[in-house]
Amino acid sequence: MKVLQVSAEIFPLLKTGGLADVAGALPAALMAAGCAVRVLLPGFAPILADLRDDTTLAELTAPWGDVVRVRQGVLTSLGVHAYVLDAPQLYQRAGTPYEDAQRQPHHDNHLRFALLGWVAAQLACGLDRHWQPAVLHSHDWHAGLTSAYLAFGPAKGRRVATVFTVHNLAYQGVFAPIHFYDLGLPAQAFAVNGLEFHGQLSFMKAGLYYSDHLTTVSPSYAQEIQTPEQGCGLDGLLRVRAHDLSGILNAVDEAVWNPAHDAAITAKFEAKKPAGKARCKAALQQALGLAVQADAPLFGVVSRLTEQKGLHLVLAALDALVARGGQLVVLGTGDAALEAAFTARAAARPEAVSVRIGYDEAYAHRIFSATDVTLVPSRFEPCGLTQMYGFKYGSLPLVHRVGGLADTVVDCALENLADGSANGFVFTEFTQQALERAMRRALALYARPTEWRSVRQRAMQQPLGWDQAAAQYAALYRQLVAS
Ligand code: ADP
């Protein structure tokens, strides 16, 4: 079955968060599950630079006049066939894929990402006469217009099944209504039963409304987004579409995240030979100027520093953690206020707290390898990958019971220790007190090294690879194509 994956990011070429990890891991996993996968990506510089053996498939003029060269070739780093939108006027910019150097959204984001959906629909309708997908699988708002363009495109396109995956409903791609007229969609699309959202136009809503099937990246999040609390204004539509909505839990790309083979970490280790982990910890403590103490429980945060991630609770609980002998290492970037607050805490307690503001893939690996606990206290979390990287690297996750965190982490309560299901620490109330109690549970278990090691070993040995999720996606594709 031919599947075209449509996304704005892909690891290792372009990543701002979990979306890229998933987009980078899925093609190989789906191919192992029997699908023939190609990807469609915007022509950001690192993506174009990675494309080899490429040819021009077509030169097209978008409905609003931009000319795009659709190139195809193989992504060297992934070995995957890719279609790439070569439109330097849209994609060669300073800043992130979405924001300029002043952290403001690019003024023409609606066009930059409409192009992704528009070309996806062209491919579904036979743009490449040698390869026509049976399934279009689009990810997040950036690819949200795919199914809308297909719905109003040539009739033959309608044989293509469409799947839209929500990685984070909070980022919706909402634009002023005036931009609707650029998109080349018929007027009827700008309606409640369409992509209109409180008078604006919403790429996320387009994906949710026009796609045959919707998935989210964990079963719990699929339920949560149907509630007003977590529906971001789209819960009504999601309830209407509940029969076409399912959650497929993300997984870990074990070719990238595996302490037995990881070139970025100080010493390699695995579940049954964990000695290298202590060396990773000592090396990191030393490098960061933390007190080099093997028995000081080392907590880690690798995260975007945004309100979603609940890190104000960590700031509130930090003194208590340090007073109990804990240490904290943070890697993140995002809100200026959070960056400043964490930086100040590191300056005040350099022997116990280390903070690096920035984005650093290799350093993230070192943190997972060295820490005892990975903190993920998110207010909401569609899936969360860092708690799973924590499992893989023997850094037990401490999480808020929400979304994919609730689906993956089992608290070290006595009954869960007794039946062997415990793999981390979970708090339910989203409060400082609840986080502190969970931290105390972590410290209490840490003080019992034999039990700690046994929970850690089980956590590291859990099956975390993509095969199960890929099988679920492949079954979904087959079902949609057959219907
Ligand atoms: P989200 O997609 O909401 O950011 P996830 O947990 O799903 O959260 O994925 C985050 C991904 O980004 C993980 O691979 C994590 O290691 C990585 N990451 C986040 N912040 C940083 C950073 N500052 N440096 C390196 N990697 C980071």
Side-chain angles (χ1 to χ4, degrees):
M1 186 175 2
K2 297 191 178 91
V3 179
L4 181 68
Q5 173 181 291
V6 190
S7 66
E9 303 181 19
I10 195 160
F11 182 86
L13 300 173
L14 192 76
K15 167 170 166 178
T16 68
L19 166 66
D21 286 352
V22 175
L26 256 186
L30 286 171
M31 286 193 263
C35 302
V37 182
R38 296 187 175 189
V39 299
L40 171 65
L41 295 158
F44 294 113
I47 293 172
L48 282 173
D50 197 57
L51 197 64
R52 68 171 147 83
D53 303 334
D54 62 303
T55 55
T56 296
L57 173 67
E59 199 161 278
L60 304 172
T61 303
W64 56 90
D66 263 314
V67 173
V68 54
R69 200 147 63 95
V70 182
R71 287 163 62 175
Q72 64 169 328
V74 173
L75 290 177
T76 309
S77 54
L78 289 159
V80 173
H81 193 106
Y83 300 98
V84 180
L85 307 180
D86 190 357
Q89 71 281 17
L90 295 177
Y91 302 125
Q92 305 303 333
R93 305 263 173 94
T96 75
Y98 316 115
E99 296 178 342
D100 62 22
Q102 282 70 47
R103 296 189 179 179
Q104 296 303 309
H106 294 295
H107 68 280
D108 54 354
N109 271 351
H110 60 294
L111 301 179
R112 300 169 77 231
F113 296 106
L115 189 65
L116 194 59
W118 185 72
V119 174
Q122 305 295 317
L123 282 162
C125 296
L127 182 66
D128 182 350
R129 60 192 174 83
H130 300 295
W131 198 89
Q132 189 170 351
V135 178
L136 278 184
H137 187 168
S138 313
H139 295 268
D140 265 354
W141 75 261
H142 326 104
L145 290 195
T146 301
S147 309
Y149 280 120
L150 195 62
F152 295 106
K156 58 183 175 177
R158 294 176 194 229
R159 290 203 314 265
V160 177
T162 51
V163 176
F164 181 62
T165 295
V166 179
H167 294 257
N168 194 334
L169 193 66
Y171 298 92
Q172 299 193 347
V174 172
F175 301 98
I178 184 88
H179 296 310
F180 177 77
Y181 300 99
D182 295 333
L183 300 180
L185 286 165
Q188 72 204 81
F190 193 72
V192 173
N193 290 325
L195 49 74
E196 185 270 343
F197 183 60
H198 299 291
Q200 311 272 93
L201 68 97
S202 163
F203 281 35
M204 176 64 83
K205 189 176 170 208
L208 298 180
Y209 185 79
Y210 289 108
S211 303
D212 296 330
H213 192 91
L214 313 174
T215 70
T216 63
V217 287
S218 70
S220 285
Y221 193 59
Q223 297 304 313
E224 290 165 359
I225 58 176
Q226 296 178 49
T227 66
E229 294 73 34
Q230 287 217 48
C232 302
L234 290 164
D235 47 291
L237 172 57
L238 287 160
R239 286 194 296 277
V240 168
R241 298 230 50 199
H243 292 299
D244 303 314
L245 168 63
S246 54
I248 298 179
L249 196 63
N250 279 343
V252 174
D253 187 340
E254 292 173 314
V256 178
W257 297 96
N258 185 347
H261 304 291
D262 193 330
I265 66 180
T266 300
K268 302 191 190 359
F269 59 94
E270 52 195 282
K272 288 198 170 148
K273 291 186 208 150
K277 186 165 174 72
R279 296 219 296 285
C280 291
K281 178 173 174 178
L284 191 71
Q285 286 172 322
Q286 172 97 44
L288 300 180
L290 298 171
V292 183
Q293 286 173 6
D295 61 352
L298 180 59
F299 288 64
V301 171
V302 176
S303 181
R304 292 184 293 115
L305 301 183
T306 63
E307 211 265 340
Q308 173 196 339
K309 299 295 181 179
L311 295 166
H312 63 287
L313 295 183
V314 174
L315 287 166
L318 187 52
D319 284 342
L321 179 68
V322 171
R324 294 192 165 92
Q327 299 180 341
L328 176 70
V329 49
V330 177
L331 168 64
T333 176
D335 291 354
L338 279 170
E339 290 183 354
F342 274 109
T343 304
R345 303 301 284 274
R349 299 299 301 269
E351 76 295 348
V353 181
S354 168
V355 173
R356 183 182 298 180
I357 302 303
Y359 192 93
D360 185 337
E361 196 74 34
Y363 186 49
H365 285 240
R366 286 177 66 201
I367 291 180
F368 291 114
S369 74
T371 47
D372 300 299
V373 178
T374 294
L375 287 172
V376 198
S378 307
R379 183 185 295 280
F380 67 93
E381 193 57 80
C383 178
L385 291 170
T386 55
Q387 82 279 15
M388 293 199 264
Y389 301 154
F391 288 145
K392 218 42 224 173
Y393 285 71
S395 179
L396 298 182
L398 189 162
V399 306
H400 179 214
R401 188 193 301 277
V402 73
L405 302 172
D407 291 344
T408 51
V409 184
V410 180
D411 187 71
C412 281
L414 282 178
E415 66 275 22
N416 299 331
L417 287 170
D419 70 14
S421 59
N423 60 15
F425 311 94
V426 182
F427 64 98
T428 302
E429 295 284 309
F430 189 63
T431 61
Q432 174 189 344
Q433 292 72 20
L435 172 64
E436 282 186 7
R437 278 196 298 278
M439 284 175 161
R440 288 177 61 188
R441 273 202 304 291
L443 296 174
L445 190 72
Y446 191 77
R448 301 166 176 232
T450 309
E451 279 180 77
W452 182 273
R453 280 196 291 269
S454 115
V455 173
R456 188 177 66 183
Q457 181 173 341
R458 273 200 305 272
M460 292 178 75
Q461 286 174 323
Q462 295 174 93
L464 292 166
W466 270 101
D467 39 343
Q468 206 185 328
Q472 288 176 271
Y473 281 117
L476 172 63
Y477 301 154
R478 276 195 296 274
Q479 185 193 325
L480 292 172
V481 167
S483 64

